[in-house]
Amino acid sequence: MHSRDSVRRLQNAHADHIDSVYKQLSLLPGNPMGIELIVVGDTRIFLSNENRLENRAIFTGNETIEELKEVTSLFDKKGVDGYFELNPVNFYRTKPFSWKSEILPTLLELGYHPGDFRCVWYLEHPGDYNAKDEVAGRIRRFSCDDADDFIEAKIKVEPVQDEDLETEKK
């Protein structure tokens, strides 16, 4: 199960990945994509002239309302879509801790709206959890060569009607 610490590590790894990609894109002659890497407070911001999924702000949850307004204004000035992920790490303040969420109400007030939501899968186990139990969650990676195995596993989790099977295989 994800903890605040594991989500923070995932969020920072995602930010590091975007940072790496955008730094390389910015090295193209003349920076044709208009790549900008900006930090406001503790918030890392990734911008390009194009509407890309990587155009985002990685919030910590400790942003002031003024910082939130400054971050969102950067996307407005650039004229591009902005993606802001709300998760257990940044939904509430941690310095000092507060149950009052400021990010979501401020973004809504500024005219932003929820788009898509990511789904984090986890196994909530009973107290007698046994990691060796067949029902226990496990992760398996599939390569292109394992497509049939993936389909078989997927059908166990999400059964399909016979007439949909050929569509599923595509």
Side-chain angles (χ1 to χ4, degrees):
M1 186 160 68
H2 287 300
S3 66
R4 288 178 61 89
D5 188 50
S6 67
V7 172
R8 185 176 310 283
R9 285 195 313 270
L10 287 169
Q11 180 175 313
N12 287 329
H14 188 209
D16 291 343
H17 169 74
I18 296 170
D19 187 77
S20 175
V21 170
Y22 270 35
K23 280 181 180 170
Q24 291 303 308
L25 290 172
S26 73
L27 296 175
L28 293 172
N31 190 12
M33 297 177 69
I35 299 295
E36 295 181 57
L37 305 172
I38 302 167
V39 176
V40 173
D42 290 331
T43 304
R44 296 168 69 182
I45 302 141
F46 306 95
L47 292 167
S48 79
N49 291 338
E50 301 174 2
N51 283 317
R52 298 175 55 99
L53 288 173
E54 295 90 354
N55 283 345
R56 65 181 59 234
I58 306 294
F59 292 126
T60 65
N62 293 313
E63 291 79 9
T64 65
I65 291 174
E66 293 75 27
E67 287 173 335
L68 289 170
K69 289 179 179 179
E70 183 179 348
V71 167
T72 57
S73 74
L74 294 168
F75 290 87
D76 292 339
K77 287 176 190 170
K78 195 84 161 166
V80 295
D81 294 341
Y83 296 89
F84 312 123
E85 186 174 318
L86 298 179
N87 60 54
V89 171
N90 64 20
F91 199 77
Y92 300 107
R93 287 190 172 283
T94 56
K95 298 176 185 175
F97 182 79
S98 168
W99 283 112
K100 182 180 178 192
S101 169
E102 293 179 357
I103 290 180
L104 182 58
T106 301
L107 291 176
L108 291 171
E109 182 181 301
L110 292 171
Y112 289 81
H113 62 276
D116 295 323
F117 287 94
R118 288 187 180 186
C119 181
V120 177
W121 291 76
Y122 71 97
L123 174 66
E124 188 171 318
H125 58 80
D128 59 348
Y129 173 73
N130 180 351
K132 295 177 184 173
D133 193 4
E134 273 300 309
V135 182
R138 62 186 173 140
I139 297 173
R140 178 175 174 199
R141 293 179 184 219
F142 295 92
S143 69
C144 294
D145 296 333
D146 301 322
D148 289 334
D149 292 339
F150 170 78
I151 291 168
E152 184 179 318
K154 182 177 185 282
I155 290 171
K156 286 180 183 176
V157 176
E158 299 174 5
V160 294
Q161 302 300 323
D162 287 339
E163 61 270 8
D164 294 333
L165 188 55
E166 287 306 312
T167 304
E168 285 291 317
K169 287 185 177 182
K170 293 178 186 177

